[in-house]
Amino acid sequence: MELPGRNSDYREKSYWDERYTTEESYDWFTGYSSFQHLLRRDILPQQHILTIGCGNSSMSTDMYENGFKHITNTDFSPVVIEKMAEKHKDLTEMSWQVMDMCDISFPAESFDIVLEKGTLDAVMVHERDPWNTSQETLDLIDSVLQQYGWDVNMSSVGEAFHFFYMVMEKGKQLSEKDILAEKEREKKRLLRENNSENPVTFMENDTEDFVLSIEL
């Protein structure tokens, strides 16, 4: 697997189409076994699950073997969707569809659960400061989340290096912590508009583990 020439290439469909032509499987950050105990805590086997930006990760198939049968996998690369659908055609209760996460066309309330693992990170890799992103990236993320007001709970997995596992739920009264987080987000937005924050930059010559290169 050849790394892209620039981090920003991770945002390009052409890069992924070419990569998926030869690459069989790759799991970003960590594999399913690391956080399956959290998914089993938060998801019921009978619930309908949408995975956005599924890529060629084994997460969905691992979940299927773990009892989660009703999974719809989407990715904007037709190359990977065709390959994964053929590779796992025996998993008949799971489906694969070409779809951009910024333009989800399923009817409202089609799914109980939406899973995202590393996809939003990929659209932010060209930003030099993850806490002070461009308006373009903010608009893109807004188009995925559609609106805010989520109740958020966070856990972490890992030992030497920890990954965040976030559960975002709508329809609940926001906790005091989330209300404060919303206020802090608005404060940062205003600071960003006034160019008042010091940037956090990515190191040059990044690798696939670009998230490890953030300088705090």
Side-chain angles (χ1 to χ4, degrees):
M1 185 251 324
E2 186 175 343
L3 299 180
R6 305 167 302 167
N7 272 351
S8 57
D9 290 343
Y10 284 114
R11 294 163 53 93
E12 302 300 325
K13 177 177 172 295
S14 57
Y15 165 74
W16 292 108
D17 284 342
E18 181 177 357
R19 174 170 171 166
Y20 289 138
T21 299
T22 56
E23 183 181 76
E24 290 302 314
S25 182
Y26 187 85
D27 260 303
W28 290 84
F29 305 139
T30 186
Y32 174 67
S33 61
S34 298
F35 57 92
Q36 63 174 315
H37 61 292
L38 296 172
L39 289 183
R40 293 185 66 85
R41 179 195 70 188
D42 296 321
I43 304 176
L44 299 175
Q46 66 268 26
Q47 289 183 308
H48 291 262
I49 302 166
L50 171 66
T51 300
I52 60 175
C54 63
N56 55 16
S57 167
S58 65
M59 182 178 74
S60 292
T61 54
D62 290 340
M63 290 181 66
Y64 192 97
E65 298 298 333
N66 211 194
F68 301 101
K69 305 296 184 181
H70 309 295
I71 304 176
T72 298
N73 302 283
T74 62
D75 198 286
F76 71 170
S77 170
V79 175
V80 77
I81 289 297
E82 181 178 349
K83 288 183 68 173
M84 295 295 279
E86 175 62 25
K87 183 178 180 179
H88 302 295
K89 60 185 178 182
D90 56 318
L91 307 182
T92 56
E93 294 176 76
M94 186 159 63
S95 64
W96 307 84
Q97 296 192 37
V98 178
M99 193 173 295
D100 192 319
M101 68 176 178
C102 298
D103 188 23
I104 297 295
S105 58
F106 296 109
E109 301 182 4
S110 296
F111 301 94
D112 303 298
I113 304 290
V114 178
L115 293 180
E116 179 275 322
K117 178 172 173 277
T119 307
L120 287 176
D121 297 80
V123 304
M124 294 182 65
V125 291
H126 69 303
E127 299 285 351
R128 302 196 65 81
D129 176 359
W131 315 117
N132 185 21
T133 58
S134 65
Q135 189 60 48
E136 176 194 8
T137 295
L138 286 176
D139 290 343
L140 188 150
I141 292 175
D142 282 347
S143 72
V144 177
L145 298 178
Q146 295 186 11
Q147 57 184 339
Y148 292 91
W150 298 90
D151 181 76
V152 181
N153 290 295
M154 185 173 68
S155 305
S156 63
V157 295
E159 296 178 1
F161 187 87
H162 288 79
F163 298 96
F164 293 116
Y165 170 93
M166 291 183 163
V167 177
M168 303 169 63
E169 185 176 358
K170 286 198 173 190
K172 294 177 63 177
Q173 182 175 352
L174 293 184
S175 66
E176 182 177 350
K177 178 182 177 181
D178 290 332
I179 292 172
L180 291 174
E182 289 282 315
K183 290 180 178 178
E184 185 65 20
R185 178 178 176 273
E186 179 63 14
K187 177 182 176 182
K188 288 182 177 180
R189 184 186 68 79
L190 295 173
L191 287 172
R192 180 170 56 245
E193 291 178 354
N194 293 321
N195 296 316
S196 298
E197 290 186 310
N198 294 320
V200 177
T201 59
F202 284 100
M203 295 170 62
E204 298 297 329
N205 302 318
D206 211 352
T207 68
E208 287 272 292
D209 296 321
F210 58 83
V211 76
L212 300 180
S213 298
I214 299 175
E215 291 184 348
L216 299 178

